[in-house]
Amino acid sequence: MEYKLGKMLKRIKNQLVYSLSAVCLLGFSMQLMAQENNDTRWNPVRNKNEFVNPVIPGFFPDPSVVRIGEDYYCVNSTFEYFPGIIISHSRDLINWKQIGHVFTKSEEFDLTKYWDGMGVWAPDISYYNGEFYVFYCMVQLKKDRSYNVRGNYMVKSKSIFGPWSKPVQITDNGNDPSHFVDVNGDHYMLYAAGIPQGNGTKIVKLNKDANSIVDGPYWIETEGKKAAPEGPHLLYKSGYYYLTMAASGGLFNGHHMLVARSKNVLGPYENSPYNPLLTQKNNSGINFHQGHGKLFQTQLDEWFTMVLSQRWLPSESTEKRYQKGVSQLGRETSLIRLNWTQDGWPVDETSRQPLDIAIKPKLKEAKVVNIYSDEFNKPMLNIPWQFRRNPLDANLSLTEKKGNLRLYSGDFDIDTLLGRNLILQRERWLKYTASTKISFVPKTTEQAGLTCYYDTKTYARLGWQKSKLGDWELSLEEMKYGIPIVRKLTSIRKVSHLFLRLRVDKLTRVFEYSYDNKHWLSAGEILDASYLSDQGTPNWGFMGMMVGVYSFNRGSGNKIPADFDWFKISDYK
């Protein structure tokens, strides 16, 4: 009896263990499945004839596109980053290559005094009579509008690679200008009036050189009210002037596009019965926040618009600002296929997953290569690199130590407008790895290393420094909504060089170091990096995450070189 009871208890115990194991295995499987499904959402399986938005991922907001023959050129906002106004090129509208910037000479384009999220807003590119035109605005704006300075400017060039003419200021108010040339050759500029002066669109007629106003401004009225805060563009087609406009539903949530048309360039304009033209209605979609679209036709008579969009990752944070989602990569660029209704209105074409997945243009595929990694063995940095405001040329060199980027420790930290000793490029992937080899000898309070950067109030960094005891250490630091935190200090050996690595998997960031670039050791991790996003800054959330290197002296005044042998980025899915 005792034996049978023992055997029974053993059987029950084994069944319980098996059941618990099954539950744990099921839970683990469900976790993996959830992760897999989550990854599938951002990287859906597509057919050969389909593409998935965004087509230009990462911090590429406010797109404007022009077609010249078989070539397409796109410009995007760059705010306080230098070089200013990035230019990309494509032949198939899916694959885009960064080919340069409009403003490349620091002495001709001073961004040093612009606050975070200010500077260059919403450029527009156009082409007429053998010349490229880029209209753009410069904005310095406080959230309470107690300081509100804006102006619209124009530059032009016979080549997309420049040189571009010196900027000409067209107005000292408004923002988001665009250029329109009527069928008779008359030039016009549209622009948003700018809150609080007016929630609407203005239009002025320009002279033949498009550098001064000859008539206007006039209000473009829609439905008897001024209802277009930003991003106006004009298109002439089949006897109608079509006006597209953005942000009518608010800057972040409900952002969408409206269309209106008129027989007269100055109006009055009637709203499309199919409005809003673009808005994401699928809560489990990929892309949201569509706006700033300029309609264009391909050489094969297909119609598209390119718009800004955001991918909103679900956040585990309980903070209110993250509840609707986190846009880690900022405002990106998406391609939307359009159709025209029988009564002459543009509408987005029905697709398998609206605004996310659509049929590719009929254009021949033209793959491109964008080079993000850099061996620093050329006299110039690769095109993707950006300076936060204008570079301090005396603090950097690509020639003093051959094959290295040398950054001398600057006097100001990267949490101030004066702290310009960092070089960055856009994060373009929800998952990626960045690594660098650094040589550095800190003497007192100097620090150099790797950073994930949004703005002065929002970043994370892994810095090589001298400890209070005189040893060397790595400091993993966060700037969270303007509050600095030292997350982890890691003692390291006194070596001539060190390898630093960052691994990003959406809202998880792992920092590592190595002495041989083979065996990696933990320097800390951020399991919920929701704050490294548009939603995580107390400043304007207009940009997107950047990654790069930095060096500063924390007030010691020492100019100590941090030599970066290379910087490598690889995406993984």
Side-chain angles (χ1 to χ4, degrees):
M1 180 73 179
E2 221 173 282
Y3 170 76
K4 288 184 178 179
L5 183 60
K7 195 171 181 181
M8 186 183 300
L9 289 172
K10 187 175 180 181
R11 188 184 304 121
I12 292 171
K13 180 181 177 183
N14 288 340
Q15 286 176 344
L16 282 171
V17 170
Y18 176 79
S19 299
L20 287 171
S21 299
V23 169
C24 291
L25 183 61
L26 177 62
F28 181 67
S29 299
M30 289 179 69
Q31 186 178 5
L32 285 178
M33 190 181 298
Q35 178 68 32
E36 182 181 348
N37 289 340
N38 194 30
D39 285 346
T40 302
R41 176 183 176 185
W42 310 117
N43 300 286
V45 176
R46 71 199 78 174
N47 298 319
K48 286 186 177 180
N49 66 336
E50 291 179 327
F51 71 94
V52 176
N53 279 315
V55 292
I56 310 181
F59 164 34
F60 288 87
D62 310 324
S64 173
V65 181
V66 67
R67 177 176 69 87
I68 313 299
E70 297 180 351
D71 296 289
Y72 296 83
Y73 299 99
C74 178
V75 293
N76 295 91
S77 297
T78 46
F79 298 93
E80 76 266 27
Y81 284 97
F82 184 89
I85 306 183
I86 194 163
I87 306 172
S88 302
H89 169 260
S90 178
R91 284 204 149 198
D92 61 10
L93 294 176
I94 305 299
N95 298 286
W96 290 86
K97 182 178 178 62
Q98 299 173 48
I99 61 172
H101 298 82
V102 173
F103 298 108
T104 57
K105 294 182 179 179
S106 188
E107 63 273 14
E108 294 180 358
F109 198 64
D110 186 4
L111 293 165
T112 55
K113 295 180 181 179
Y114 283 92
W115 305 319
D116 294 340
M118 298 296 103
V120 181
W121 283 17
D124 173 63
I125 188 169
S126 56
Y127 185 82
Y128 178 73
N129 200 24
E131 286 188 298
F132 290 94
Y133 294 79
V134 171
F135 282 68
Y136 64 97
C137 59
M138 300 297 295
V139 180
Q140 186 78 311
L141 175 68
K142 288 187 176 180
K143 282 193 170 182
D144 63 1
R145 268 69 176 184
S146 60
Y147 194 92
N148 188 353
V149 177
R150 308 169 188 233
N152 293 311
Y153 296 79
M154 182 276 295
V155 293
K156 55 185 174 180
S157 172
K158 293 186 181 299
S159 168
I160 193 66
F161 299 102
W164 295 85
S165 62
K166 290 185 178 181
V168 174
Q169 186 170 358
I170 307 296
T171 70
D172 61 0
N173 62 89
N175 54 273
D176 297 11
S178 66
H179 182 216
F180 172 72
V181 184
D182 209 344
V183 289
N184 58 5
D186 289 338
H187 294 257
Y188 293 88
M189 182 183 77
L190 290 84
Y191 60 100
I195 299 170
Q197 288 89 341
N199 271 355
T201 298
K202 287 184 176 181
I203 185 170
V204 292
K205 187 176 182 180
L206 305 175
N207 63 1
K208 64 176 183 176
D209 294 319
N211 59 14
S212 66
I213 298 173
V214 296
D215 193 20
Y218 297 98
W219 284 105
I220 293 184
E221 302 278 2
T222 59
E223 291 188 336
K225 60 183 178 180
K226 306 171 182 66
E230 60 179 63
H233 292 281
L234 268 186
L235 164 76
Y236 183 78
K237 180 181 183 295
S238 303
Y240 282 102
Y241 296 89
Y242 288 88
L243 171 69
T244 57
M245 39 196 159
S248 299
L251 184 59
F252 289 103
N253 299 311
H255 199 68
H256 58 272
M257 284 176 57
L258 297 178
V259 181
R261 72 181 182 187
S262 174
K263 290 282 189 179
N264 189 305
V265 68
L266 299 180
Y269 282 78
E270 62 169 327
N271 267 22
S272 169
Y274 305 100
N275 278 336
L277 171 58
L278 304 175
T279 185
Q280 180 60 271
K281 298 176 181 177
N282 177 12
N283 289 332
S284 61
I286 300 172
N287 299 278
F288 297 83
H289 189 71
Q290 286 78 6
H292 275 259
K294 182 178 181 179
L295 280 57
F296 62 91
Q297 185 179 23
T298 71
Q299 64 269 33
L300 298 179
D301 296 329
E302 295 179 289
W303 283 89
F304 293 91
T305 183
M306 290 184 73
V307 297
L308 66 83
S309 60
Q310 286 180 319
R311 285 178 280 179
W312 292 351
L313 301 174
S315 171
E316 295 181 2
S317 174
T318 57
E319 293 186 58
K320 185 177 180 180
R321 60 178 172 269
Y322 305 127
Q323 288 179 0
K324 291 187 178 180
V326 172
S327 49
Q328 171 186 340
L329 299 183
R331 300 182 300 162
E332 308 174 283
T333 290
S334 288
L335 176 70
I336 309 296
R337 178 182 284 276
L338 301 175
N339 277 330
W340 290 85
T341 64
Q342 288 187 346
D343 52 347
W345 292 100
V347 293
D348 55 304
E349 185 175 277
T350 302
S351 61
R352 177 159 68 93
Q353 191 166 316
L355 307 183
D356 294 331
I357 306 172
I359 303 299
K360 291 179 180 178
K362 296 176 183 177
L363 305 170
K364 183 179 178 181
E365 184 180 49
K367 292 187 176 181
V368 300
V369 176
N370 287 292
I371 301 174
Y372 307 110
S373 300
D374 205 329
E375 296 291 336
F376 301 128
N377 53 12
K378 298 177 183 177
M380 296 181 66
L381 293 167
N382 287 340
I383 286 177
W385 288 109
Q386 296 257 255
F387 297 96
R388 192 174 68 102
R389 302 174 180 85
N390 301 73
L392 291 167
D393 293 331
N395 283 0
L396 65 97
S397 174
L398 285 164
T399 58
E400 284 187 16
K401 185 176 181 182
K402 190 174 181 181
N404 282 253
L405 165 65
R406 171 163 286 184
L407 273 180
Y408 285 98
S409 50
D411 293 332
F412 302 97
D413 199 347
I414 61 177
D415 63 352
T416 71
L417 300 189
L418 297 174
R420 287 147 53 193
N421 259 44
L422 70 165
I423 298 176
L424 305 160
Q425 57 178 282
R426 294 160 176 82
E427 292 188 355
R428 293 171 60 97
W429 314 272
L430 296 175
K431 292 184 177 185
Y432 77 94
T433 300
S435 59
T436 188
K437 178 184 177 182
I438 177 177
S439 299
F440 187 54
V441 183
K443 291 183 178 179
T444 56
T445 57
E446 303 80 29
Q447 188 188 92
L450 186 66
T451 183
C452 309
Y453 192 84
Y454 191 94
D455 61 17
T456 57
K457 304 295 184 185
T458 312
Y459 59 81
R461 66 185 178 198
L462 181 63
W464 181 352
Q465 65 184 22
K466 195 173 185 178
S467 74
K468 292 179 180 179
L469 299 177
D471 300 322
W472 285 358
E473 64 185 7
L474 291 175
S475 179
L476 177 57
E477 302 170 5
E478 295 178 282
M479 180 64 78
K480 258 179 128 169
Y481 217 71
I483 301 173
I485 303 168
V486 177
R487 177 174 281 271
K488 184 178 180 180
L489 295 173
T490 304
S491 296
I492 58 173
R493 304 198 302 256
K494 287 197 173 183
V495 292
S496 60
H497 62 266
L498 201 62
F499 300 91
L500 304 180
R501 186 168 76 178
L502 162 72
R503 291 188 291 116
V504 175
D505 185 349
K506 295 187 282 297
L507 299 183
T508 299
R509 292 175 183 253
V510 177
F511 294 83
E512 298 168 314
Y513 70 100
S514 172
Y515 297 109
D516 59 6
N517 202 25
K518 294 179 182 178
H519 304 91
W520 291 89
L521 303 167
S522 174
E525 57 186 19
I526 302 173
L527 297 178
D528 180 12
S530 296
Y531 73 98
L532 295 176
S533 66
D534 288 346
Q535 292 73 24
T537 177
N539 297 318
W540 293 105
F542 290 156
M543 299 174 291
M545 283 304 301
M546 309 281 273
V547 62
V549 296
Y550 70 96
S551 175
F552 71 102
N553 62 35
R554 275 202 174 103
S556 73
N558 293 330
K559 298 294 182 184
I560 296 175
D563 293 320
F564 298 91
D565 193 347
W566 43 257
F567 186 91
K568 295 179 181 177
I569 285 188
S570 60
D571 66 313
Y572 64 95
K573 296 178 180 178

